[in-house]
């Protein structure tokens, strides 16, 4: 079953919930998206923007637990959200 849309929705919705200030980043004056930008999430998770963009497009197959944990930390996921992310990767 293809769950790319579900992964995309999950990640983008979690990015939108965190302000740059909450993540310890400068807010800047010209933001086109609510919450964190891809580049900010990638920096917080210590991965390239291209790699994060690939994940955000729904390509979670074969992603290591360490990458998922870094992403969960960057997006400040709670226990239920972390479980959901792991469940999405497993499908």
């Amino acid at each position: 079953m293809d769950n790319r849309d579900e992964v995309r929705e999950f990640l983008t919705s979690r990015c939108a919930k965190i302000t740059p200030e909450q993540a310890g980043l400068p807010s800047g004056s010209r933001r086109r998206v609510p919450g964190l930008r891809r580049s900010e999430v990638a920096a917080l998770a210590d991965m390239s923007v291209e790699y994060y963009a690939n994940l955000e497009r729904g390509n979670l197959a074969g992603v290591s637990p360490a990458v998922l944990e870094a992403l969960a930390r960057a997006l400040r996921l709670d226990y239920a959200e972390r479980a959901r992310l792991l469940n999405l990767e497993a499908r």
Side-chain angles (χ1 to χ4, degrees):
M1 180 176 153
D2 188 3
N3 66 341
R4 290 175 191 246
D5 290 337
E6 196 174 352
V7 170
R8 184 179 311 113
E9 171 58 32
F10 179 79
L11 292 177
T12 57
S13 69
R14 294 324 178 268
C15 288
K17 290 173 47 176
I18 303 170
T19 66
E21 294 84 9
Q22 290 171 323
L25 301 169
S27 64
S29 59
R30 297 181 51 138
R31 300 190 74 80
R32 296 187 307 181
V33 296
L36 297 176
R37 296 175 176 142
R38 284 183 181 141
S39 60
E40 294 166 335
V41 175
L44 290 169
D46 197 28
M47 62 182 68
S48 72
V49 176
E50 294 79 14
Y51 189 74
Y52 174 71
N54 191 42
L55 297 177
E56 194 178 76
R57 283 191 290 271
N59 299 322
L60 291 182
V63 175
S64 74
V67 167
L68 293 176
E69 182 56 36
L71 192 53
R73 240 186 348 268
L75 295 175
R76 298 180 176 210
L77 301 183
D78 62 25
Y79 180 79
E81 291 170 325
R82 283 174 192 254
R84 175 94 171 111
L85 180 61
L86 292 173
N87 185 30
L88 286 170
E89 186 274 331
R91 288 202 254 159

